[in-house]
Amino acid sequence: MNANSPSAAGPAAAPPRVLLLHGPNLNLLGERDRDTYGSTTLKDVEERTAALGRELGAEVRCAQSNSEGALIDLIHATRGSDDGIVFNPGAYAHYSYALRDALEAVTGLGIPCVEVHISNVHAREAFRHTSVTAPVCQGMVSGHGIFGYDLALRSVLHRIAEWREARAAR
Ligand code: DQA
């Protein structure tokens, strides 16, 4: 079912809105450690994810910050403005309890989040094997390169449609 199909939440359902959020150092995609992250820039990732969103009937808006506090503010600001989040937290995934709590707060309010890592974090240094943010997300995609964003967007839209449907049935 299309995430925006009438049967998902009634004929007047607004297109789902998704925040594509990137954390520290991901503004350097395409320049930074190309063997690990490839040559695609952040702008390319944002454009192709927004294009897939349009194909799927969704609106994707994009943000990036290198600062933990700014990321927390962006996550809080999804309340009342977005239906879901696709988030690559960068290295913050491995140790930021503050980001974890921010995500837990908004997912608890019905805004699902899918975590993305371009690289396979489990095939890398031990400190990358832990994600403190993934347990409060719907799921995590890792090691699929930038194709992982397509998987994450499809997954979060599917969850948004399921939750809309469940709310409409109440
Ligand atoms: C990353 C993996 C993290 O361990 C790393 O700190 C990043 C990028 C990824 O997309 O593979 O900045 O999130």
Side-chain angles (χ1 to χ4, degrees), residues 24-26 32 37 88 90-91 94 116-119 121 124 128:
N25 303 306
L26 292 160
R32 165 195 185 202
Y37 301 115
N88 184 340
H94 310 310
V116 179
H117 296 284
I118 296 166
S119 63
V121 286
R124 301 181 64 195
R128 296 186 206 273

Side-chain angles (χ1 to χ4, degrees), residues 12 47 64 84 88 101 106 108 113 116 132 156:
E47 281 174 3
Q64 186 275 332
N88 184 340
D101 285 353
V106 301
C113 179
V116 179
V132 300
V156 84

Side-chain angles (χ1 to χ4, degrees), residues 22-26 29 32 36-37 87-95 115-121 124-125 127-130 141-143 145 149:
H22 282 91
N25 303 306
L26 292 160
L29 277 180
R32 165 195 185 202
T36 305
Y37 301 115
F87 186 24
N88 184 340
Y92 281 141
H94 310 310
Y95 66 93
E115 179 166 319
V116 179
H117 296 284
I118 296 166
S119 63
N120 179 355
V121 286
R124 301 181 64 195
E125 303 95 319
F127 77 86
R128 296 186 206 273
H129 299 177
T130 299
V141 177
S142 171
Y149 291 95

Side-chain angles (χ1 to χ4, degrees), residues 85-163:
I85 307 171
V86 171
F87 186 24
N88 184 340
Y92 281 141
H94 310 310
Y95 66 93
S96 174
Y97 295 112
L99 274 180
R100 181 208 178 279
D101 285 353
L103 288 169
E104 186 176 45
V106 301
T107 57
L109 294 171
I111 301 170
C113 179
V114 175
E115 179 166 319
V116 179
H117 296 284
I118 296 166
S119 63
N120 179 355
V121 286
H122 297 288
R124 301 181 64 195
E125 303 95 319
F127 77 86
R128 296 186 206 273
H129 299 177
T130 299
S131 169
V132 300
T133 43
V136 294
C137 291
Q138 164 189 332
M140 191 238 256
V141 177
S142 171
H144 297 270
I146 60 158
F147 179 59
Y149 291 95
D150 298 7
L151 300 173
L153 180 63
R154 286 178 183 278
S155 177
V156 84
L157 290 174
H158 184 71
R159 177 61 59 90
I160 291 165
E162 279 180 345
W163 284 1

